[in-house]
């Protein structure tokens, strides 16, 4: 967010506006857990599917999923509790497939950034902040407030079509395909632009697939950010 700070030196935030980018960060071990954990609020979706649906429908034009870490190096965390080698393979393939699906754009409107570790994640975020600071014009701040963003997301998660999709999915024998068939039938009056939050993704990975990690193209830009003019943007 861009914050307007009081000139009185008391640090009081006078206004907040949402910048045109949102980042969802997940460590590879966290991602592995979210993929198999049920959402408590939006059953029968997984925690990950519900979170991605929220990200896709947040109303911000630039949406990034930042996947942090190397699943091969963190296999011990990802595979903790696995009872067989096959189960370990399934867990690793699940994370690798998720990465590949994001790379191929199978999550509509969401781009993927991969970093090797937390340090690189911090560098990437600082780099993005630097870019925003250079282009930010305090005379023409973003128009959307944080409260408006929250209200928009809440409206999307309570939309009648989304709630009907969840209701259908809870019926025994009704999977994603059958639920979407009902939603897409114009005779039923639902929003036919609705995108399923859990439709099966096509990209499937192997254990040999490797991530393409972000690298700072100019470390000077990253370092300059620490001394850049803070202005009204924090």
């Amino acid at each position: 967010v861009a914050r307007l700070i009081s000139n009185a030196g008391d640090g009081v935030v006078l206004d907040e506006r949402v910048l045109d980018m949102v980042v969802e960060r997940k460590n590879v071990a966290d991602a592995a857990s979210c993929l198999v954990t049920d959402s408590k609020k939006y059953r029968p979706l997984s925690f990950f599917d519900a979170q991605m649906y929220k990200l896709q429908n947040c109303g911000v034009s630039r949406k990034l999923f930042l996947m942090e870490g190397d699943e091969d190096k963190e296999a011990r965390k990802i595979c903790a509790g696995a009872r067989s080698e096959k189960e370990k393979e399934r867990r690793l393939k699940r994370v690798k497939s998720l990465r590949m699906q994001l790379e191929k754009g199978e999550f509509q409107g969401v781009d993927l950034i991969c970093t090797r570790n937390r340090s690189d994640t911090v560098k990437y975020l600082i780099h993005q902040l630097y870019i925003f600071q250079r282009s930010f014009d305090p005379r023409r701040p973003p128009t959307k407030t944080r409260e408006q963003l929250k209200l928009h997301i809440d409206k999307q998660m309570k939309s009648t079509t989304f709630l009907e999709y969840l209701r259908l999915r809870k019926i025994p024998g009704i999977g994603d395909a059958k639920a979407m068939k009902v939603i897409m039938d114009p005779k039923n009056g639902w929003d036919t632009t609705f995108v399923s939050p859990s439709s099966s993704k096509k990209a499937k990975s192997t254990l040999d697939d490797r991530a393409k990690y972000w690298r700072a193209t100019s470390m000077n830009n990253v370092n300059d950010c620490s001394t850049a003019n803070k202005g009204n943007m924090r």
Side-chain angles (χ1 to χ4, degrees):
V1 295
R3 293 190 177 102
L4 178 63
I5 308 297
S6 169
N7 290 326
D10 51 11
V12 174
V13 177
L14 302 178
D15 193 14
E16 288 186 324
R17 301 295 176 89
V18 177
L19 299 174
D20 197 27
M21 184 176 76
V22 60
V23 180
E24 176 64 39
R25 170 191 164 273
K26 279 278 187 293
N27 175 274
V28 289
D30 294 335
S33 176
C34 289
L35 287 168
V36 296
T37 302
D38 292 334
S39 171
K40 294 181 179 179
K41 193 173 182 179
Y42 302 106
R43 293 183 179 181
L45 299 183
S46 69
F47 184 86
F48 179 82
D49 283 339
Q51 199 167 39
M52 287 301 290
Y53 181 79
K54 185 180 294 186
L55 176 63
Q56 289 175 288
N57 292 277
C58 68
V60 176
S61 62
R62 190 181 180 197
K63 297 174 280 288
L64 300 179
F65 187 92
L66 194 155
M67 187 175 284
E68 178 184 293
D70 183 334
E71 62 270 12
D72 293 303
K73 292 182 178 180
E74 296 195 39
R76 181 175 295 180
K77 292 181 181 179
I78 295 173
C79 299
R83 298 183 178 182
S84 67
E85 290 301 315
K86 285 187 177 181
E87 175 59 24
K88 291 180 181 180
E89 286 188 10
R90 279 195 293 269
R91 293 188 186 187
L92 282 174
K93 284 183 179 179
R94 203 176 285 134
V95 175
K96 289 177 179 289
S97 293
L98 169 62
R99 190 195 300 276
M100 183 176 289
Q101 290 157 9
L102 284 158
E103 285 178 352
K104 293 182 177 296
E106 294 187 16
F107 290 90
Q108 186 175 315
V110 179
D111 294 322
L112 172 70
I113 294 294
C114 297
T115 59
R116 292 184 181 277
N117 48 51
R118 182 168 294 184
S119 176
D120 281 356
T121 295
V122 172
K123 290 177 182 177
Y124 173 77
L125 294 176
I126 290 175
H127 185 71
Q128 294 302 307
L129 179 60
Y130 175 78
I131 293 172
F132 272 121
Q133 285 181 318
R134 291 191 66 180
S135 61
F136 185 77
D137 184 351
R139 297 169 299 178
R140 297 179 178 84
T143 58
K144 184 178 292 185
T145 66
R146 176 179 285 189
E147 185 61 27
Q148 288 173 329
L149 176 67
K150 291 179 179 178
L151 289 173
H152 175 83
I153 293 174
D154 186 60
K155 182 179 179 180
Q156 296 302 308
M157 301 307 286
K158 292 179 179 178
S159 73
T160 55
T161 301
F162 177 58
L163 295 179
E164 174 63 9
Y165 172 84
L166 295 180
R167 186 191 71 81
L168 291 168
R169 286 293 311 278
K170 292 175 184 177
I171 300 174
I174 301 294
D176 176 74
K178 290 183 178 179
M180 287 303 295
K181 186 176 181 179
V182 173
I183 297 295
M184 292 296 107
D185 188 339
K187 296 178 182 179
N188 294 324
W190 302 112
D191 180 7
T192 55
T193 65
F194 177 77
V195 177
S196 168
S198 60
S199 59
S200 58
K201 305 299 184 290
K202 296 179 180 179
K204 302 296 180 184
S205 181
T206 69
L207 292 177
D208 295 326
D209 290 320
R210 297 292 182 270
K212 298 175 183 177
Y213 294 104
W214 173 84
R215 291 183 180 181
T217 55
S218 173
M219 290 309 296
N220 288 333
N221 284 354
V222 176
N223 292 332
D224 287 346
C225 188
S226 62
T227 57
N229 179 20
K230 292 184 176 63
N232 290 327
M233 181 175 161
R234 298 292 176 88

